Amino acid sequence: MRRKIIVKLLFAGAMLAGFSNSFAQEVKENNQKEFGEFINRKGTYTRSASGKPNVGYWQNKADYQIAVTLDDSTHTLAGNITLTYTNNSPESLDFIWMQMEQNRFTEDSRGTLTTPIQGNRYNGDVDGGYEITNLQAKVGSKGSVSTKHIDSDTRMQVWFNEPIPAKGGTATVSMDFSFKVPVEGMDRMGRLEVEDGWIYAFAQWYPKVAVFDDVEGWNVEPYLGAGEFYLEYGDFDYKVTVPYDHIVVGSGELLNPKEVLSKELQNRYAKAKDSDTTVMLITAEELGNTELTRPKQEGTVTWHFAIENSRDVAFATSKAFIWDAAKINLPSGKKILAQSAYPKESNGIEAWSRSTEYSKASIEHYSEMWFEFPYATATNVAADIGGMEYPGLNFCSYNSKGAGLWGVTDHEFGHNWFPMIVGTNERRYAWMDEGFNTFINHYSTLAFNEGEYPSNLNQTRRYVNFFTSETREGIDTYPDVVNINNLGMLAYNKPAMGLLLLREYVLGHERFDNAFKSYIKTWAYKHPQPTDFFNHIENVAGENLSWFWQGWFYGTGNIDLGVSAVVPYAGNYVVVLANKGDMPMPVLLEVTFEDGTTERKMLPVEIWQRGDTWNYLLKTDKKVKSVVIDPDKLLPDVNLGNDSWPQHLYEN
């Protein structure tokens, strides 16, 4: 017996020496490429190295006064707008650029001409576009009026007779505008005919100023399709005149309920503001009963809304709306309103009758977990739109039901945090809003109604086919450039998984949550860039994560960690590990012993700094039965075959 043990130890020693020699032959000089800086993240006068706005940070402001009228016989919206623009930048501005997104709906728009023949999600009508008249632009209150402007697809350049002064100079631009409301509005706005009338979903409906920032200057990428929006913050005061029998819901607070609601509807509205359960404002049976719900029985009615510190506004109007609402309880003690508007085609307890319940739960969860919701209402509107978000208001598919309706409602409301509160550039960095939102959706879904609906974000290995696909692209690919089949992964799922890995695997809940909450608070109502996010998370969490940002957010490399061998050694064991992928990761080991007990050990990512193999000395007086990497299967490891070591290599 003793001779057998000696032989086994000699054999084990030879095996270990073999592994060590093999390691020595494979070792790189270092893995600096994976662990070093991959992009310039140094601080500047405007943005600090700690990921905060620096002493020189500035941001321009855009305030809007808008009044429009809907003609439901011609499906046109017409009105006027006055933009008050504050130039806080350190340079004077001879002109401003404005976003004219309704011009996407023309035959010769860049968006139309770059849409594939077979079409895609972003199809749009081509018989629309803005008609602009009476444009006037002036600097200050006494400046001379300029009418000079240049239309360029979905942008318009407006010139002033004198520059807008730097560091606080103001200018106003006013104009009349009108457009035909598209039926197909790129799955973001438009109109839908139901039995009781048309539902109008208004977004990208008014001319709005483009962002002028310290990184790009004027951000003037055209509105093509997949790329969404990048907007300045400001205060909005807007009035919508519609036929008397319409109901209007919009971003912000309704300022004149007594003028647009009947006495009965005012009472129900007040009751809903104090109710934790859904209160019906207009039932399916009451559709068309305008004497009960409307203050007048002919002509038009003007609805007046306002919202502060917002980057956009949207609204919906219809005479076909069932309308219900309930109270939202915010952590500060403030009470606001959740509400839903939908046609009878969407009615039902398995469908939109639960929309306000979903809306309330979603807003309350995110407000408690991350940052308090800042607006007076959270409104969900049923339309012929898969799902689209605006400050305090969503458009979701009128056909959605059950888990699908929860998912789209929760996702679109999550966008109030990214990019409505944290104002990122969606047209360039879709992952900073879609991905971050998909991440927080995971936890809200787990929390809703004790897990009524499933969330699969943590089942990352379901996506191995994408990670190994020859057509995969990097997260950093711009949304209007990316292969449309990859957009869901690159904008939504992969960045969301990245944050999930940071929270659940790399940093842990406390460190990650501190950093992520700080990022939201620090950049609320501002314009962070990717480097600001990277720097801020690192500084608050206290971790150099260059290897993670580089490996996960840039490029197409994958994770492949493996157990090469488990070798008895000097009364203990050596676990020989390999990093066969393109991306290093910490290694969580679960060791199972013959007595049935288990032990977990997390090895830091630094084991890979000098090479792609690592020998870990497992100190134990127990006999090892098996060793598994990533026992919870959280990592999207592309090779499952080398994740574990079986006992059968060694005999008793």
Side-chain angles (χ1 to χ4, degrees), residues 51-277:
K52 294 182 178 182
N54 212 342
V55 292
Y57 182 83
W58 54 267
Q59 188 171 303
N60 292 347
K61 189 173 188 287
D63 300 321
Y64 297 87
Q65 286 189 312
I66 315 172
V68 290
T69 299
L70 172 67
D71 184 336
D72 62 346
S73 63
T74 59
H75 305 301
T76 58
L77 190 74
N80 57 77
I81 179 174
T82 298
L83 161 70
T84 301
Y85 186 72
T86 304
N87 175 26
N88 293 316
S89 81
E91 59 183 285
S92 60
L93 300 176
D94 296 317
F95 55 82
I96 64 172
W97 280 98
M98 299 192 73
Q99 301 282 0
M100 309 292 286
E101 285 136 349
Q102 282 299 315
N103 289 341
R104 167 64 173 78
F105 303 109
T106 61
E107 288 187 351
D108 60 352
S109 73
R110 293 191 189 189
T112 299
L113 296 175
T114 55
T115 299
I117 293 174
Q118 68 273 21
N120 56 32
R121 173 184 172 183
Y122 307 107
N123 292 336
D125 289 358
V126 295
D127 60 345
Y130 279 123
E131 289 188 13
I132 301 296
T133 58
N134 198 30
L135 185 146
Q136 297 186 344
K138 70 176 182 177
V139 173
S141 59
K142 299 180 180 179
S144 60
V145 173
S146 168
T147 61
K148 180 180 178 181
H149 62 282
I150 301 173
D151 291 315
S152 178
D153 192 52
T154 57
R155 294 80 45 91
M156 180 170 69
Q157 189 180 34
V158 178
W159 289 81
F160 299 91
N161 288 336
E162 56 269 344
I164 310 173
K167 299 182 179 180
T170 62
T172 56
V173 177
S174 62
M175 69 188 83
D176 297 329
F177 67 94
S178 65
F179 63 90
K180 180 181 178 182
V181 185
V183 175
E184 287 197 69
M186 297 176 63
D187 205 23
R188 294 203 171 104
M189 57 90 62
R191 53 189 164 96
L192 166 70
E193 188 173 21
V194 293
E195 183 177 333
D196 293 302
W198 286 92
I199 294 174
Y200 295 89
F202 283 103
Q204 289 77 60
W205 57 280
Y206 61 96
K208 60 193 72 170
V209 70
V211 172
F212 182 75
D213 64 21
D214 62 305
V215 177
E216 185 73 13
W218 286 108
N219 288 260
V220 291
E221 284 87 356
Y223 181 37
L224 299 178
E228 293 186 340
F229 311 107
Y230 186 35
L231 303 168
E232 297 286 16
Y233 287 93
D235 301 334
F236 292 77
D237 186 295
Y238 65 106
K239 296 178 180 179
V240 180
T241 300
V242 295
Y244 76 94
D245 53 357
H246 275 227
I247 291 293
V248 182
V249 289
S251 297
E253 182 178 7
L254 175 62
L255 298 183
N256 63 335
K258 292 182 180 180
E259 297 177 19
V260 297
L261 308 178
S262 67
K263 289 288 187 181
E264 175 63 23
L265 205 48
Q266 290 176 46
N267 291 336
R268 296 179 188 182
Y269 193 70
K271 181 181 177 182
K273 286 185 172 183
D274 197 37
S275 174
D276 282 313
T277 57

Side-chain angles (χ1 to χ4, degrees), residues 361-587:
S362 181
I363 297 294
E364 288 179 348
H365 171 85
Y366 297 130
S367 295
E368 181 67 37
M369 189 162 184
W370 303 115
F371 187 91
E372 184 163 302
F373 183 77
Y375 304 123
T377 54
T379 304
N380 208 21
V381 179
D384 192 17
I385 297 166
M388 191 60 203
E389 73 284 352
Y390 299 93
L393 185 141
N394 305 331
F395 299 130
C396 296
S397 173
Y398 75 108
N399 289 319
S400 291
K401 297 179 180 179
L405 181 57
W406 159 261
V408 69
T409 300
D410 182 54
H411 180 80
E412 306 311 335
F413 275 128
H415 272 303
N416 279 275
W417 283 261
F418 310 101
M420 305 307 164
I421 295 172
V422 181
T424 51
N425 185 344
E426 300 176 89
R427 200 157 288 179
R428 288 195 172 199
Y429 309 115
W431 59 271
M432 293 185 76
D433 73 288
E434 297 294 359
F436 289 15
N437 184 27
T438 301
F439 165 72
I440 65 174
N441 298 159
H442 171 68
Y443 295 100
S444 60
T445 299
L446 294 179
F448 175 68
N449 208 17
E450 299 181 348
E452 178 177 353
Y453 300 124
S455 176
N456 300 320
L457 184 67
N458 57 348
Q459 298 177 21
T460 61
R461 300 191 182 193
R462 295 172 50 158
Y463 302 95
V464 167
N465 286 343
F466 168 81
F467 291 125
T468 56
S469 167
E470 292 184 359
T471 62
R472 69 187 186 275
E473 299 167 274
I475 288 174
D476 57 317
T477 310
Y478 287 174
D480 280 320
V481 176
V482 71
N483 182 324
I484 198 70
N485 294 323
N486 290 339
L487 184 63
M489 276 298 299
L490 298 184
Y492 297 74
N493 290 335
K494 189 178 180 185
M497 289 179 209
L499 299 191
L500 183 81
L501 295 180
L502 285 178
R503 188 174 195 261
E504 304 292 345
Y505 192 88
V506 177
L507 296 175
H509 289 189
E510 185 174 18
R511 292 170 72 198
F512 178 87
D513 289 357
N514 286 341
F516 200 55
K517 289 178 184 178
S518 180
Y519 166 72
I520 297 171
K521 182 178 180 180
T522 298
W523 288 99
Y525 317 110
K526 296 182 177 67
H527 295 313
Q529 298 290 313
T531 53
D532 299 315
F533 171 71
F534 299 148
N535 287 344
H536 198 80
I537 295 298
E538 286 190 6
N539 275 266
V540 180
E543 193 77 27
N544 184 340
L545 296 167
S546 291
W547 57 272
F548 188 83
W549 311 130
Q550 178 177 197
W552 194 256
F553 288 92
Y554 292 79
T556 58
N558 284 317
I559 299 170
D560 181 8
L561 303 176
V563 184
S564 299
V566 178
V567 182
Y569 176 70
N572 297 294
Y573 291 86
V574 171
V575 181
V576 183
L577 303 171
N579 177 25
K580 296 180 178 295
D582 308 289
M583 179 177 174
M585 284 293 289
V587 179

Side-chain angles (χ1 to χ4, degrees), residues 580-615:
K580 296 180 178 295
D582 308 289
M583 179 177 174
M585 284 293 289
V587 179
L588 177 61
L589 296 175
E590 182 173 84
V591 181
T592 301
F593 300 100
E594 281 203 340
D595 64 3
T597 60
T598 61
E599 176 182 319
R600 288 192 174 193
K601 183 70 175 182
M602 177 68 87
L603 303 182
V605 72
E606 285 83 2
I607 64 175
W608 308 120
Q609 283 191 138
R610 294 181 178 84
D612 292 332
T613 62
W614 183 257
N615 297 333

Side-chain angles (χ1 to χ4, degrees), residues 325-382:
K327 175 183 62 172
I328 293 174
N329 303 293
L330 297 178
S332 66
K334 185 178 179 181
K335 314 297 182 185
I336 61 170
L337 191 70
Q339 56 183 351
S340 300
Y342 49 96
K344 66 185 180 185
E345 288 85 348
S346 305
N347 197 20
I349 195 62
E350 295 300 320
W352 275 77
S353 294
R354 293 190 70 185
S355 167
T356 293
E357 174 197 354
Y358 295 159
S359 304
K360 171 182 168 67
S362 181
I363 297 294
E364 288 179 348
H365 171 85
Y366 297 130
S367 295
E368 181 67 37
M369 189 162 184
W370 303 115
F371 187 91
E372 184 163 302
F373 183 77
Y375 304 123
T377 54
T379 304
N380 208 21
V381 179

